[in-house]
Amino acid sequence: MLYEVFWDYNYYWTSSNKGDAAKSSANAISRMKTKFNKHGYDFIASGTGRYDPVQVVEYDNSGRGGKYFDWEKAYFGTGVYQTYDLSVSGGSDVASYYTSVSYTKDQGRVKINAYDRISGRVNLDQKVGKHVELATTVNIASTDRSGYNDTWNNGSNLFMQTRSLLWGLYWPTDYKTGEDWTARYGSYGQNNLYYNNKWSNDSKTLKTSINEALTVHIIPGLDAKTIFSFDNTDTKDEYYISAEHFNAPTVDGKAVARSISMDTEVRKIVSSTTVSYNKTFGAHTLGLLAGFEAERNNTRFSRAEGKNLSTSALHTVATAGVLDANAYSWGNSMMSILSRAEYNYDNRYYLSGSFRRDGSSRLSPLTRWGNFWSVAGSWRISNESFMQNQDVISNLRLRASYGVNGTLPSSNYGWRALAAYGYNYNAAPGGILSNVASDDLRWEKSYTYNLALEFGLFDNRLNGSVEYFNRDSKDLLMNVPISRVTGFSSTLRNIGEVNNHGFEVELSGDIIRNSNFRWTMGINGAFTRSKVTRLYREEGKSVGQDIIWYDPTGGDGLCQFIYREGQSMLAVYGFEWAGVEKSSGLNIWYSNNENYDFKDENGRNIVYDYGDADEVILADLVPIVHGGITTDLSWKGLTLGLNFNYKIGKMYDGAEQNTTDDGYFWERIRSRNMWENRWTDANPNGTLPRIIGNDSEDFEQYSSRHIHNGSFIRLKTVTLSYNLPKSLIGKIGLQGTRVYFSGQNLLTFAAWKYCDPEVNAYGTQGWGTPIARTYTFGLEFSF
Amino acid sequence: MKKISIVLTAIALVLSSCADFLDVKPTNQAAASLSIMNESDAKVMLNGLYSALTTSSFYGRNFILYGDAKSGDLTVQSNGRGYDYMFAYNHSVSGYSMSGFWTSGYNIIMLCNNIIENIDRLKEEGTTGLDEYRAQALTIRAMVHYDMCRLYGKCYNDDKSSYGIPIADKTVPAGAQLLRNSVEEVYSVVIRDLDDAATSLSKKKNNGFVNYYANRALKARALMDMENYSGALSLAEEIINSGVYKLYTNKEWAASWSSQFGSESIFELGMYVNEGDLGNTGCLGAQYILGGGNGRNNQIFMASKAFLELLGEDPDDVRWEIMGQDQVGESEGYLRPGSCYKYYGSKDMKGDGKASSSAVNIKLIRLSEIYLIAAEAAARTSNASKASSYYAEIHKRSPNLPVPNGITAAMVLNEKNKELFGEGLRFWDLIRTNATIVMDDTTPDVKVTTRETSFTRSFYKCILPIYNGEMNANPGIRAQQNPGY
């Protein structure tokens, strides 16, 4: 396919070879030679036509004829995960304890990523006198991690590199000298086998958490409890890049090494005090709770960076000639008053209500306090006297609730208009304005009601529930894009109202149930719809203004969405692709306006250039239904559990724009799907466009070409376990032994086969390393 | 009773510390409204403004590169490297729209307005001594409006009633949706602001910052666009005759690039280590040299055949001393000096005296340009002796070529091309003079499908489109999109 691109360029574009097939072919071959001769490959075209196959042969006795480097094997391996736990627990009437130690080691699928952790825990519960109980938990974990994360970057995303059919022609060594190949490859990827030794990235984390709970039983039924919790995570990162790495900085024209050392300490302190009263008198049961809670989160960060390290043997900032540093902290806090009342009569009628008032530092003093409450009731119909004389319905409960809850902005200081410093000029301090904000930023509030019916039939052999919910969210918080003429590209604002509603249905039952063998199966599904009900508008306008936004995962802007009144919350916005034009193999688009190059059989306007088309709403990525299916079999000590998840709905394949590109970008990785389905003279029914050396879909266009049926069903977990019978193990002093095997993501059936259909919250898929098939084997002993 | 009062006091204490508990402020940022309260605050925010100018999306790299890449002075050796889309005029609304100019330009303007309005407020309250800072911010605001107007709007002498850019001469509120003003309106605001600022600017050389002469130089550029040649000439002469700046001699010329704030620097933007330094792959200098940008063997831009022939009129031309071997020459085995080391200090890439060789100051306005503006303006107003004398000063740098009798504007422009190559000015001269732009498409490995090889400013891609993001947030501006997009 690369040959076709080069051929096209010559045939259509260059002045010397224009229209001359023989010269175009010769030039295309010579370009490929320039690229790959140095790796030991040569090319022979069997004919001068565009589609005549090209043979890849050996060059200069390199020894590489017929062989291609297996990068996938070089970069990826089977990940191995091991974890070992030991725990001891015991106690008396007055005190009980639980302690454990655990070690985990994870060698990831990407060979340079590694992780290990050692952690320990102590739980101690003590009764002091008749009225007081004290519970303490201390947990410490130390983690060590090295390697790096996936990004879209062509050079460092290993998954993306190994998908390219061309990559096998690149070798990590020079065929003439046998030395490491250090120059960059054509499309700016590089030989990571060599370069991975030239940098290192290591992160050590120490996490400490301590919880203390003091409970005082004042009088029977009346308890007071206070909890204090302290959680501290300290992460130290060391990053080093040697002077031989292509990304090394230079000083005085010479490449030098660089080292960065960062320290982040995240601390969370929570204190909560509650008083509760529980009493049963006759058929009435009453429970009351009131309390106060405060939470503070703080993160301290400091960084030291050095360039031009004195010696290649030492990798620390201390040896650097050029230094840079930064240090600051940030955080938030919250205070709440809470209360709850519950009442039930005769275990048949239940009523409860709650109220809380929360204040947060993430909003301005004028708006930071919010009141949130709920009421709920339920009726256990199956406990009524008229339900007692029948065998069919063993459990029937009707419940309903209505409540308000709130969401805070994710930014700590979003309501403050701030000036930031550290923008120095000529080593003198400099400051800029960092955002535009409004101090009437408010809580986002959701008003939810739900109604449910739970039932159990035939002595709870068959049970299930049906639930309907409706949630109206008002003052939706969003970083809304604004006109750049303001000097900023977005501002945090309460933009409007959305509605989510739906049904959840759950059904499960014991298909077979007897003393030795039991088979249960359950299925659940959620049908949800979402809608943008109202958007911010200027005075006098009757319709709110549309907001166009991008999928925030990974910062890649994989998909473009629009909030428009009356439309779904995940409405994809882009150009409507009309497929491939049969006679030319070119991309065609529905213009959705008055422009047209020709009309299709339904009279719709079609254009060849998407620049003539308008963007429209293409699809709704909220699933039609999603949920799970579980089934368990147990026989004596053996159990087998299977857990499936499924979805029916659409998805957007954001990575596809790279694998099926139709032109312009040389050495674009093209998938086998592209090779098989693209339009060619011999395949005029191809569903993908022809590759044209001087045209491209231009991957930045968001279009319906990448919207696919995202429905799938996946065997998420399989667990087979065996509890050795007591008669066998009791003799060795073991109290329980369990052997188990479990597998994750073993089988998937999906409508769109080219990428993992289990998408993120936005319905899109990108270049992250896909979810792995995992096989786990374990052994548990208890004494 | 006592117990209750103890409890109540405790609650009161807790609640009163509530307000403080929930008042969490960042430790590296301060309230914007309190950012300028006195003179030293104003200086800090002014430093921040200059730091913002060094952004790679504007004066730190892209704006300079743009003026060379689109002018026919540069060519590329291969497609798909770095900023070759500028060379290919490959602009569209959502792909390579170069929206960085729009977003960072207005960001800079917003910072200027913040400084100007706060200083005005302090002046009303009685503080004095802030006029110099205010005038610097005002000049920068005018400069950015001027440069953005040329990027997005047609040339003044082409069609001044056509769309320019939205004028932001005061702080624009978050919800505002301003529409484009005409080129004429933008220029009149630019001239008004430059003249307003000039009265308070220092007439001493101000290294790294704007001064009176930088302001006059900007106005001279604008007047040339407006074909007000006599006005431009008198401003240029004011700078030349002030005695504050001096031209480099032939011996000093090449060395001037490896030191900071030379005698010709009227406005030199400081690029410092740990501040504006873009490193060896991203800095301006890396875009023009062999071994720059993405790796040791991949040159992004090099001088075009036409430029090499022009400079080749005199093999002893002083300006050759900053040019070196390029990748075309390297791969074909001869000396082709298409690499320009102005922004790496010297052919040895030692930088300009700072710890990082990629942190080289950007000479936005130099005295040589002023001499050439004077020569061109004089030639166009039939002032032959002045045209000749100013032209000769620069022409000296090609010692083997005699000074012709009768200097024409075309000769001045050729000399300007030789002198100011690689400094981001050539494209604007071609547009202003409605010249035919001829691109160098001769490099074998290169294909360009998004433009012809030779065209004039009537080609719609000579100006940039308003990009998608702006149109989505400001729907009214969609109707004002530039023709062809």
Side-chain angles (χ1 to χ4, degrees):
Chain A
M1 288 187 276
L2 181 59
Y3 170 75
E4 287 173 28
V5 172
F6 285 137
W7 195 96
D8 273 344
Y9 166 58
N10 276 284
Y11 192 80
Y12 291 108
W13 191 252
T14 57
S15 43
S16 48
N17 298 337
K18 201 167 182 145
D20 183 337
K23 282 197 186 157
S24 298
S25 165
N27 185 289
I29 291 286
S30 81
R31 285 163 187 279
M32 292 176 75
K33 286 185 198 230
T34 315
K35 279 193 183 303
F36 296 111
N37 279 165
K38 51 191 171 211
H39 293 286
Y41 293 101
D42 206 351
F43 303 91
I44 304 175
S46 56
T48 58
R50 191 176 183 275
Y51 295 108
D52 291 329
V54 175
Q55 261 185 301
V56 181
V57 299
E58 187 168 298
Y59 176 76
D60 195 24
N61 292 322
S62 63
R64 291 180 180 172
K67 286 190 262 185
Y68 305 100
F69 191 74
D70 190 345
W71 286 101
E72 189 167 333
K73 201 157 129 197
Y75 284 153
F76 292 94
T78 307
V80 177
Y81 179 89
Q82 309 163 56
T83 173
Y84 307 98
D85 292 282
L86 174 66
S87 67
V88 178
S89 64
S92 64
D93 307 331
V94 172
S96 65
Y97 65 89
Y98 171 88
T99 65
S100 76
V101 150
S102 132
Y103 176 71
T104 302
K105 189 171 162 81
D106 186 3
Q107 172 56 52
R109 281 171 299 155
V110 179
K111 284 187 177 161
I112 70 169
N113 285 1
Y115 169 91
D116 69 58
R117 184 179 76 196
I118 181 161
S119 68
R121 163 184 226 139
V122 175
N123 287 5
L124 190 64
D125 292 317
Q126 272 177 297
K127 287 191 180 23
V128 179
K130 276 195 289 184
H131 295 277
V132 179
E133 276 172 43
L134 194 62
T136 309
T137 308
V138 177
N139 202 340
I140 303 184
S142 169
T143 306
D144 197 341
R145 192 196 303 258
S146 66
Y148 59 72
N149 295 319
D150 303 317
T151 62
W152 188 277
N153 183 315
N154 204 16
S156 55
N157 188 325
L158 302 181
F159 178 60
M160 196 164 140
Q161 278 182 12
T162 55
R163 298 300 101 188
S164 168
L165 292 176
L166 272 178
W167 215 260
L169 293 172
Y170 291 126
W171 285 70
T173 53
D174 186 327
Y175 75 86
K176 287 188 234 172
T177 61
E179 293 194 356
D180 293 315
W181 185 270
T182 58
R184 310 247 355 227
Y185 297 134
S187 46
Y188 296 118
Q190 65 276 344
N191 177 6
N192 280 322
L193 291 178
Y194 171 75
Y195 283 110
N196 278 342
N197 291 330
K198 301 293 167 194
W199 69 293
S200 67
N201 190 8
D202 189 28
S203 170
K204 287 184 173 36
T205 307
L206 181 69
K207 187 169 153 80
T208 315
S209 76
I210 301 175
N211 273 1
E212 284 280 342
L214 173 72
T215 313
V216 179
H217 303 289
I218 304 172
I219 55 175
L222 183 66
D223 295 326
K225 185 167 182 180
T226 177
I227 300 177
F228 177 77
S229 121
F230 172 85
D231 206 295
N232 195 60
T233 307
D234 196 347
T235 308
K236 296 197 190 332
D237 291 290
E238 301 282 339
Y239 171 81
Y240 168 74
I241 187 166
S242 88
E244 285 151 20
H245 197 276
F246 62 85
N247 260 339
T250 61
V251 170
D252 274 353
K254 210 172 50 96
V256 295
R258 178 195 207 191
S259 169
I260 302 181
S261 191
M262 291 190 281
D263 192 332
T264 312
E265 182 188 71
V266 180
R267 181 176 289 198
K268 182 191 197 75
I269 299 180
V270 180
S271 161
S272 122
T273 306
T274 52
V275 173
S276 65
Y277 179 69
N278 290 294
K279 185 89 178 170
T280 304
F281 23 93
H284 308 269
T285 309
L286 184 66
L288 297 170
L289 178 97
F292 170 80
E293 189 174 283
E295 173 182 323
R296 179 187 270 292
N297 291 304
N298 195 45
T299 305
R300 277 179 31 194
F301 172 75
S302 69
R303 179 182 129 255
E305 177 175 336
K307 275 201 291 222
N308 199 5
L309 305 187
S310 324
T311 146
S312 61
L314 292 174
H315 296 181
T316 53
V317 177
T319 65
V322 178
L323 295 167
D324 183 27
N326 204 345
Y328 56 100
S329 69
W330 66 92
N332 58 64
S333 61
M334 189 151 112
M335 227 179 218
S336 321
I337 299 173
L338 38 100
S339 65
R340 188 179 70 212
E342 289 170 323
Y343 167 77
N344 88 62
Y345 176 72
D346 197 29
N347 283 334
R348 277 186 285 153
Y349 308 108
Y350 295 77
L351 194 62
S352 66
S354 72
F355 173 80
R356 64 182 296 155
R357 185 169 162 80
D358 298 280
S360 164
S361 67
R362 294 189 192 183
L363 295 170
S364 87
L366 303 169
T367 55
R368 63 176 39 141
W369 289 96
N371 296 324
F372 308 104
W373 53 271
S374 70
V375 290
S378 71
W379 177 22
R380 198 176 278 282
I381 307 173
S382 49
N383 281 355
E384 289 289 350
S385 50
F386 59 81
M387 291 293 282
Q388 299 311 319
N389 289 329
Q390 45 84 28
D391 289 328
V392 177
I393 303 179
S394 47
N395 176 33
L396 191 63
R397 186 163 88 121
L398 184 67
R399 58 180 164 84
S401 73
Y402 183 76
V404 186
N405 67 4
T407 307
L408 288 167
S410 52
S411 144
N412 283 326
Y413 308 111
W415 64 274
R416 296 182 190 266
L418 294 168
Y421 299 95
Y423 294 88
N424 302 345
Y425 187 66
N426 194 9
I432 59 163
L433 294 186
S434 50
N435 67 343
V436 59
S438 60
D439 65 359
D440 77 339
L441 198 65
R442 307 178 282 288
W443 284 90
E444 177 185 310
K445 289 193 179 180
S446 292
Y447 299 84
T448 312
Y449 68 82
N450 71 20
L451 188 61
L453 183 68
E454 290 167 16
F455 59 89
L457 304 174
F458 310 116
D459 194 21
N460 273 356
R461 188 135 163 200
L462 181 68
N463 49 46
S465 69
V466 177
E467 179 173 332
Y468 173 78
F469 77 92
N470 183 68
R471 179 166 58 243
D472 285 309
S473 303
K474 298 199 200 304
D475 284 333
L476 197 70
L477 284 165
M478 188 186 185
N479 252 324
V480 58
I482 52 177
S483 165
R484 303 339 183 234
V485 179
T486 59
F488 299 101
S489 54
S490 67
T491 184
L492 184 59
R493 212 191 254 164
N494 301 91
I495 58 148
E497 299 171 14
V498 298
N499 171 282
N500 281 286
H501 61 272
F503 270 100
E504 266 185 47
V505 179
E506 196 186 308
L507 198 61
S508 69
D510 294 336
I511 300 174
I512 300 178
R513 182 163 78 183
N514 59 42
S515 57
N516 274 340
F517 185 66
R518 185 173 162 166
W519 179 21
T520 335
M521 190 153 153
I523 180 168
N524 63 63
F527 300 80
T528 51
R529 297 272 72 177
S530 81
K531 197 160 81 152
V532 175
T533 40
R534 193 187 151 85
L535 289 170
Y536 169 81
R537 72 211 41 203
E538 282 178 51
E539 301 289 315
K541 294 238 170 78
S542 60
V543 177
Q545 190 185 323
D546 293 342
I547 297 172
I548 292 179
W549 56 283
Y550 299 90
D551 176 354
T553 24
D556 291 330
L558 287 175
C559 185
Q560 178 172 258
F561 295 101
I562 186 170
Y563 279 157
R564 179 178 282 174
E565 285 181 354
Q567 296 294 330
S568 161
M569 279 179 75
L570 281 182
V572 181
Y573 191 64
F575 293 109
E576 192 180 352
W577 189 60
V580 172
E581 211 264 300
K582 277 210 173 19
S583 59
S584 63
L586 293 171
N587 274 313
I588 42 177
W589 312 85
Y590 289 113
S591 71
N592 288 307
N593 57 30
E594 332 72 52
N595 297 333
Y596 67 95
D597 289 321
F598 64 90
K599 289 186 195 270
D600 77 352
E601 60 262 10
N602 298 323
R604 291 189 66 186
N605 293 344
I606 303 233
V607 288
Y608 287 108
D609 180 0
Y610 58 77
D612 294 332
D614 281 349
E615 288 180 307
V616 289
I617 292 183
L618 300 168
D620 177 4
L621 295 185
V622 173
I624 297 173
V625 61
H626 68 277
I629 303 173
T630 58
T631 178
D632 287 288
L633 290 97
S634 64
W635 179 62
K636 301 207 177 155
L638 196 64
T639 60
L640 173 67
L642 285 92
N643 196 347
F644 293 85
N645 61 351
Y646 70 91
K647 168 182 138 180
I648 297 177
K650 297 208 174 90
M651 64 168 279
Y652 186 91
D653 185 349
E656 194 190 13
Q657 62 203 23
N658 291 100
T659 60
T660 57
D661 183 76
D662 36 83
Y664 194 67
F665 293 98
W666 298 354
E667 295 189 50
R668 252 286 145 72
I669 55 175
R670 290 197 186 88
S671 64
R672 187 172 162 158
N673 174 29
M674 186 64 178
W675 170 255
E676 287 171 356
N677 292 314
R678 72 196 204 293
W679 187 99
T680 63
D681 291 330
N683 180 19
N685 289 323
T687 51
L688 292 175
R690 71 182 284 189
I691 295 178
I692 297 184
N694 39 5
D695 189 14
S696 68
E697 183 203 351
D698 196 357
F699 57 87
E700 273 138 334
Q701 302 320 314
Y702 300 105
S703 76
S704 60
R705 182 170 153 190
H706 303 301
I707 295 180
H708 302 288
N709 185 349
S711 307
F712 72 94
I713 179 165
R714 164 172 277 169
L715 177 56
K716 190 82 187 159
T717 350
V718 180
T719 311
L720 179 64
S721 78
Y722 182 57
N723 275 308
L724 274 71
K726 293 212 169 35
S727 54
L728 202 60
I729 54 173
K731 297 184 188 137
I732 328 177
L734 284 171
Q735 210 177 336
T737 306
R738 182 167 162 255
V739 175
Y740 63 93
F741 160 77
S742 90
Q744 265 107 13
N745 304 311
L746 297 184
L747 270 181
T748 307
F749 300 99
W752 177 246
K753 301 191 196 322
Y754 301 104
C755 70
D756 191 334
E758 213 164 339
V759 293
N760 60 28
Y762 299 95
T764 65
Q765 186 61 268
W767 279 110
T769 308
I771 302 179
R773 274 207 195 112
T774 314
Y775 304 95
T776 312
F777 172 73
L779 211 56
E780 253 174 45
F781 299 99
S782 56
F783 299 90
Chain B
M1 215 36 225
K2 227 177 162 186
K3 273 206 184 135
I4 295 177
S5 63
I6 293 176
V7 168
L8 284 175
T9 331
I11 294 177
L13 274 173
V14 163
L15 289 176
S16 67
S17 65
C18 264
D20 296 331
F21 185 75
L22 292 178
D23 187 28
V24 179
K25 296 196 187 77
T27 55
N28 60 340
Q29 299 178 84
S33 54
L34 302 174
S35 61
I36 301 183
M37 299 300 279
N38 56 42
E39 198 212 323
S40 72
D41 288 343
K43 183 68 167 95
V44 168
M45 296 311 274
L46 191 67
N47 285 337
L49 171 61
Y50 280 94
S51 169
L53 285 176
T54 65
T55 175
S56 63
S57 324
F58 218 114
Y59 299 106
R61 182 188 62 217
N62 288 3
F63 187 69
I64 312 297
L65 195 54
Y66 185 88
D68 292 323
K70 289 181 88 162
S71 69
D73 270 359
L74 297 179
T75 186
V76 295
Q77 201 227 6
S78 174
N79 281 106
R81 286 187 190 159
Y83 307 96
D84 75 329
Y85 51 83
M86 290 193 217
F87 171 75
Y89 281 64
N90 186 6
H91 310 301
S92 72
V93 166
S94 48
Y96 301 129
S97 60
M98 306 220 66
S99 56
F101 288 132
W102 186 272
T103 48
S104 55
Y106 277 110
N107 181 258
I108 295 167
I109 290 172
M110 176 270 301
L111 293 174
C112 294
N113 283 331
N114 180 50
I115 294 172
I116 294 167
E117 287 166 17
N118 270 302
I119 290 181
D120 285 342
R121 174 182 55 83
L122 286 175
K123 275 169 67 168
E124 257 174 63
E125 292 167 10
T127 321
T128 56
L130 295 170
D131 288 327
E132 160 83 36
Y133 296 151
R134 181 184 186 279
Q136 285 190 35
L138 194 54
T139 304
I140 291 176
R141 187 178 82 188
M143 176 175 82
V144 178
H145 271 95
Y146 172 64
D147 285 330
M148 284 194 14
C149 191
R150 293 189 295 164
L151 285 165
Y152 290 97
K154 292 195 184 168
C155 187
Y156 190 94
N157 61 15
D158 181 2
D159 181 0
K160 62 187 185 215
S161 62
S162 64
Y163 288 126
I165 52 164
I167 293 174
D169 57 355
K170 49 183 171 299
T171 297
V172 180
Q177 298 180 319
L178 298 180
L179 298 177
R180 298 171 77 176
N181 295 84
S182 72
V183 169
E184 189 175 7
E185 288 169 342
V186 178
Y187 272 69
S188 80
V189 164
V190 166
I191 305 278
R192 175 199 78 190
D193 286 344
L194 286 174
D195 287 339
D196 179 0
T199 57
S200 316
L201 285 169
S202 152
K203 292 193 181 177
K204 296 208 282 257
K205 189 163 186 271
N206 195 353
N207 288 339
F209 298 91
V210 157
N211 69 358
Y212 175 79
Y213 299 109
N215 177 307
R216 298 292 83 190
L218 290 166
K219 187 175 176 190
R221 284 184 183 171
L223 292 181
M224 291 294 277
D225 292 347
M226 296 162 86
E227 295 180 341
N228 178 350
Y229 300 116
S230 51
L233 178 60
S234 74
L235 288 174
E237 290 189 311
E238 191 185 346
I239 301 171
I240 295 170
N241 297 333
S242 71
V244 177
Y245 303 98
K246 205 165 76 65
L247 285 176
Y248 300 126
T249 63
N250 284 11
K251 282 216 190 77
E252 292 168 343
W253 195 90
S256 71
W257 295 102
S258 55
S259 60
Q260 300 181 57
F261 305 123
S263 62
E264 280 194 33
S265 285
I266 299 175
F267 181 21
E268 183 172 314
L269 195 60
M271 300 291 273
Y272 301 95
V273 183
N274 296 334
E275 295 173 10
D277 185 6
L278 296 166
N280 281 324
T281 42
C283 70
L284 177 61
Q287 316 305 317
Y288 294 85
I289 63 168
L290 177 62
N294 281 315
R296 317 266 143 102
N297 296 316
N298 292 302
Q299 183 155 1
I300 302 176
F301 288 111
M302 62 211 85
S304 64
K305 211 159 127 197
F307 179 75
L308 292 176
E309 280 167 8
L310 179 65
L311 196 58
E313 286 174 352
D314 180 0
D316 295 327
D317 196 319
V318 148
R319 276 107 18 145
W320 282 119
E321 292 173 27
I322 202 76
M323 305 293 285
Q325 172 66 301
D326 67 29
Q327 195 179 1
V328 174
E330 179 98 332
S331 55
E332 293 179 21
Y334 67 96
L335 175 64
R336 186 185 189 279
S339 296
C340 177
Y341 288 87
K342 285 182 176 178
Y343 286 105
Y344 253 109
S346 62
K347 286 199 274 198
D348 303 324
M349 292 174 63
K350 297 273 188 211
D352 62 2
K354 307 194 193 90
S356 163
S357 43
S358 54
V360 172
N361 296 352
I362 302 202
K363 289 85 185 164
L364 289 175
I365 308 177
R366 279 206 285 136
L367 189 62
S368 296
E369 183 194 344
I370 306 302
Y371 268 79
L372 291 162
I373 288 179
E376 188 186 339
R380 291 186 192 270
T381 50
S382 308
N383 199 328
S385 62
K386 282 196 176 171
S388 203
S389 74
Y390 292 130
Y391 175 84
E393 287 297 322
I394 308 296
H395 190 75
K396 273 190 207 168
R397 292 165 180 172
S398 47
N400 297 332
L401 299 179
V403 179
N405 285 328
I407 306 298
T408 62
M411 292 177 194
V412 178
L413 287 166
N414 272 344
E415 191 61 45
K416 202 171 174 191
N417 195 186
K418 292 184 192 178
E419 177 63 35
L420 298 169
F421 172 77
E423 299 182 52
L425 296 167
R426 178 69 177 160
F427 178 69
W428 305 116
D429 283 338
L430 292 171
I431 295 289
R432 169 171 65 83
T433 55
N434 197 10
T436 307
I437 302 176
V438 182
M439 305 297 287
D440 179 357
D441 288 331
T442 59
T443 334
D445 238 14
V446 169
K447 69 175 180 198
V448 176
T449 57
T450 37
R451 60 161 169 75
E452 302 293 328
T453 296
S454 128
F455 47 86
T456 63
R457 67 189 183 188
S458 60
F459 177 40
Y460 76 97
K461 288 191 191 170
C462 287
I463 55 180
L464 293 171
I466 306 287
Y467 86 114
N468 241 348
E470 178 64 35
M471 294 199 291
N472 286 339
N474 182 359
I477 214 171
R478 202 178 277 273
Q480 300 181 320
Q481 178 61 280
N482 281 332
Y485 288 109

